[in-house]
Amino acid sequence: MSIRLIPTPQRCTLLSSDTCISENTPVILQTPDDDARLIAAAKKLFAHVETRKGAYALYSANFFASRYEFGRSEGYLLWIRSDTLSLCADDARGLFYGMQTIRQWMRIPERPAVEICDWPELSMRSDYLDMRGIFPKFENVLHFIEEMAEYKFNTLVVEYEDKLPRPRTEFVAEHGALTPEQHRQMMQTAHENFIDIIPLQQTFGHLEYALKLPEYQHLREDPAAPGELCPLRKGAFELACSLIEETAAMHPECQYLHLGCDEVWSLGHSEECRQSGKSRSELAVEYINRLAEKVLSLGKTPIVWHDMFASTRKNGAMVASDDLSVLSKLNKNVIVALWLYSPTRVNSIAPAVIETLNSLGIRTLPCSATRAADGSVYQNYPCVEQRLRNIDVWCDVIRHSRCTGMVNTNWCSTFSLGNPYGLFETSRYTAYYAAERCWNIDADTSDFLGRFLSVYHGVENPKIITGAESRYDYYSSMNSFLPQVTRNVQTARLVSLMYRLEHAVPVNATVFRGDYFAGSEVELCSLRERAEKNYGALGRIEQELKEILPEFLTPEDAALFYESRCYENRLHRRELERILGTSLA
């Protein structure tokens, strides 16, 4: 029998003895000092918890825990046999992650005897919450933060845009902004679950939410580019500093502050930039250095995306589009986050870029994507093969680099004014695959689909074809597993629904025949017959979508998302009804 856990432990030995450890087993939680987070975590697992002072340990009352030095940060040693449980760690995080393993172990019907020696491969293991467009209801965000911790993520990058409650600049979101109390509760939930939140505050590109306002429109690099700031325009740096100060103040415990600084396509177009005589790279580096000094003065480490340093001549294969002497002037406290989402581009570009940056004394942070564009307009669910391969090749690069972390980005849209991607919940499969690889970079993932169905959805002994390729079958197979799902049932329903919506085939592509062959009775009959059948099926899917969206989104976001998926079909249907000269049933 194999044991189904996510992430896969580094070392796991199944023992032959039976166990009787349960929620009712009296346990002793031992910590050097009182730790409310560990006490709460232990009480979620066991009904009877006694606390004592000592080295980090959790053990059944019939067992004496001697001092144990593991020697690995965030690692733990777990031993469960017969009526005895022992969990030891060197630090609070290690003990917490050991308890997350116990949480998953308790869901296994057999509850096998086991010895686990486990530790993380990467020190930063980050999920991503993009709030620029549609994002989960607030109560669901709190749930996900706790859930991320179960899968041993320890960091969450949050791109707030205008959803952060700002007392000074007062950028008001059209809908869905967090209240100060909600933000406080979000930060507290992250703290309770050992999640470090890294705020992402755009300061260069992607500033549509600020530069759309009349009082800031004059700060655009190009009037036709509503999200891109001119670094040399009077008042631009002051706006960025104000945003940085507010963001830092609302995240006092955060070590990092992500400044964005990507995709400033129009940089160099403004009169000020042209008259400066400086290259795009010089403009970018000088501006980012000014931002970095501000962030450092607030006691935080700045992070920026890499693409403004990438060579346009070599398709991003080298950094510093003019020469390395420009990039060498970048403040060495800045961490450069490499976002490369194509498996091929990671293999061909990342090693050289990392080597170049490291040779200049610049630290790098790899970034995969658990959802990205991938040539699909809607992204109703992630393009799973591309996403898993992207994570895999980044892990291959990390093995041979000095990188110690990975951010797994998860986009809600191409940009804030674009068409929304599928809901956050549909990317939990790819996100927790990334969590698996960040924790255990050499884990065998050929059985990941089966483990995910068991751990995340409660499917007992899912019948699937084993092998590496089966990892890609989650979305296509969810409908067949729905009757067996006992956990995260609504998410499973949503995944099944979005897959069916993606593959619904209305007659949109053949409506043109009604005009092209105007007056042809056989063409019109054919269109009418297929349209009534296909639009009828599509209507049932759309009704199911309308009913399920309130589980995941606020009413405003639910209405917006529904329109994003149904509007185009209504347009085609109205045009077809015009051509046919009759309403469709």
Side-chain angles (χ1 to χ4, degrees), residues 289-308:
N289 280 345
R290 294 181 70 194
L291 298 175
E293 288 298 332
K294 182 63 180 180
V295 173
L296 292 165
S297 74
L298 298 172
K300 302 189 183 302
T301 300
I303 302 173
V304 299
W305 299 119
H306 85 283
D307 58 277
M308 293 307 293

Side-chain angles (χ1 to χ4, degrees), residues 305-365:
W305 299 119
H306 85 283
D307 58 277
M308 293 307 293
F309 310 131
S311 169
T312 55
R313 294 191 299 271
K314 297 186 179 181
N315 197 29
M318 290 295 289
V319 288
S321 58
D322 299 301
D323 55 56
L324 292 181
S325 65
V326 175
L327 188 58
S328 68
K329 297 175 183 177
L330 183 68
N331 189 309
K332 300 306 182 289
N333 293 295
V334 173
I335 297 175
V336 175
L338 307 178
W339 61 277
L340 293 170
Y341 301 153
S342 159
T344 302
R345 282 173 59 79
V346 173
N347 277 327
S348 62
I349 295 172
V353 172
I354 291 172
E355 182 180 354
T356 299
L357 289 168
N358 287 345
S359 71
L360 297 173
I362 299 170
R363 289 175 290 171
T364 54
L365 177 61

Side-chain angles (χ1 to χ4, degrees), residues 568-579:
E568 183 179 357
N569 288 325
R570 284 204 306 275
L571 285 179
H572 282 280
R573 178 170 179 156
R574 287 200 295 265
E575 181 65 8
L576 182 55
E577 288 175 337
R578 179 192 66 78
I579 292 171

Side-chain angles (χ1 to χ4, degrees), residues 402-421:
R402 288 178 281 173
C403 299
T404 59
M406 182 158 72
V407 174
N408 302 284
T409 60
N410 184 352
W411 303 107
C412 72
S413 182
T414 51
F415 72 121
S416 60
L417 303 178
N419 191 64
Y421 288 164

